[in-house]
Amino acid sequence: MATPKSHLVPSRSAKRANYEPETIHSILDEALYCTISYSYENKPFSIPTAFVRYEDKIYIHGSVGSHFIRELEKGIPVCITVTLMDALVVAKSAFNHSVNYRSVVIFAQAEKVESVEDKIEAFKWLTDKIVPGSWDYLRPIKENEVRKTTALAFKIDEASAKIRSGMPVDDEEDEALPIWSGLIPLQNGRMAPLPDKFSEHMPLPAHLVGSL
């Protein structure tokens, strides 16, 4: 593997960094949202948005009238971050508390998806990531909806993952203290769907039943 660029190397706990595409892709595929940070008129902006990875790019979408989208489609530099929290790490001292997590940082520039066919593909990938199996079930997307929506792609060339796992690491002199230490696992899963008033008497479609 080539030596990573300096801005991809964490300033602390560099041993937790991982630059393997398989690791980076697995974290991106599990996360539903990312945060895109950029500078506009010397002011910082940081916007959370849904995204999907397909091959070596991630895709987002937004209204053609969105100031956020219009800025990004100019190809300005952005920093994209994703974090999955797995557990609270409870040590015998507050100083040694930590978190088990998996994160990704990407430095990139947006590429506007121009063709209607490619835009629809990107919308399909995103829709089926957020609600798996739903694209073919839903009312087909309309031409004017495609025109009103911009799709942007970002290459995952400059990216790094950082991962913390395992139990707390206490100071040696604290290990015998009668203070509980360990992990508090965190769970972020899909719960049972709740129908709106138009669907309360309808059975769940197969793709939603399968998500339970």
Side-chain angles (χ1 to χ4, degrees):
M1 178 188 299
T3 302
K5 295 182 179 180
S6 59
H7 58 278
L8 295 175
V9 179
S11 59
R12 293 191 70 251
S13 302
K15 63 183 180 181
R16 295 179 183 167
N18 187 302
Y19 306 98
E20 296 295 337
E22 295 81 3
T23 300
I24 292 169
H25 292 176
S26 70
I27 297 171
L28 295 175
D29 291 348
E30 185 173 341
L32 296 178
Y33 289 84
C34 67
T35 300
I36 301 182
S37 302
Y38 62 101
S39 176
Y40 173 71
E41 294 184 347
N42 292 320
K43 295 180 180 179
F45 289 82
S46 195
I47 310 295
T49 185
F51 78 100
V52 65
R53 179 192 70 86
Y54 186 79
E55 296 180 344
D56 64 344
K57 295 180 181 180
I58 68 171
Y59 294 81
I60 69 168
H61 78 296
S63 168
V64 296
S66 163
H67 178 271
F68 164 61
I69 293 294
R70 293 203 311 271
E71 281 303 305
L72 295 193
E73 71 180 40
K74 295 175 183 177
I76 62 174
V78 300
C79 178
I80 303 171
T81 58
V82 165
T83 303
L84 300 172
M85 309 295 283
D86 295 321
L88 303 177
V89 180
V90 181
K92 295 182 185 296
S93 70
F95 182 79
N96 286 321
H97 277 15
S98 188
V99 176
N100 283 349
Y101 65 91
R102 292 163 289 148
S103 65
V104 169
V105 175
I106 302 169
F107 295 92
Q109 296 84 39
E111 306 168 15
K112 187 175 181 181
V113 180
E114 298 288 359
S115 81
V116 171
E117 294 78 10
D118 290 342
K119 285 173 68 175
I120 291 175
E121 280 292 287
F123 300 154
K124 178 181 185 296
W125 299 329
L126 181 58
T127 301
D128 276 341
K129 179 183 182 182
I130 301 300
V131 184
S134 63
W135 180 265
D136 291 334
Y137 171 81
L138 299 171
R139 183 264 289 160
I141 193 169
K142 297 177 180 178
E143 183 180 340
N144 69 321
E145 293 172 332
V146 177
R147 288 200 308 269
K148 292 177 181 178
T149 309
T150 298
L152 299 178
F154 301 84
K155 293 202 72 173
I156 315 172
D157 281 346
E158 295 186 35
S160 66
K162 192 178 180 184
I163 300 168
R164 200 275 183 200
S165 61
M167 289 292 179
V169 180
D170 278 300
D171 296 342
E172 187 175 351
E173 62 268 24
D174 292 343
E175 291 176 352
L177 292 175
I179 297 173
W180 188 92
S181 54
L183 300 180
I184 301 175
L186 300 174
Q187 187 176 38
N188 185 13
R190 297 171 188 257
M191 302 177 70
L194 301 175
D196 65 14
K197 64 181 180 180
F198 303 107
S199 302
E200 57 188 1
H201 300 299
M202 295 175 58
L204 281 179
H207 68 277
L208 292 182
V209 173
S211 70
L212 296 179

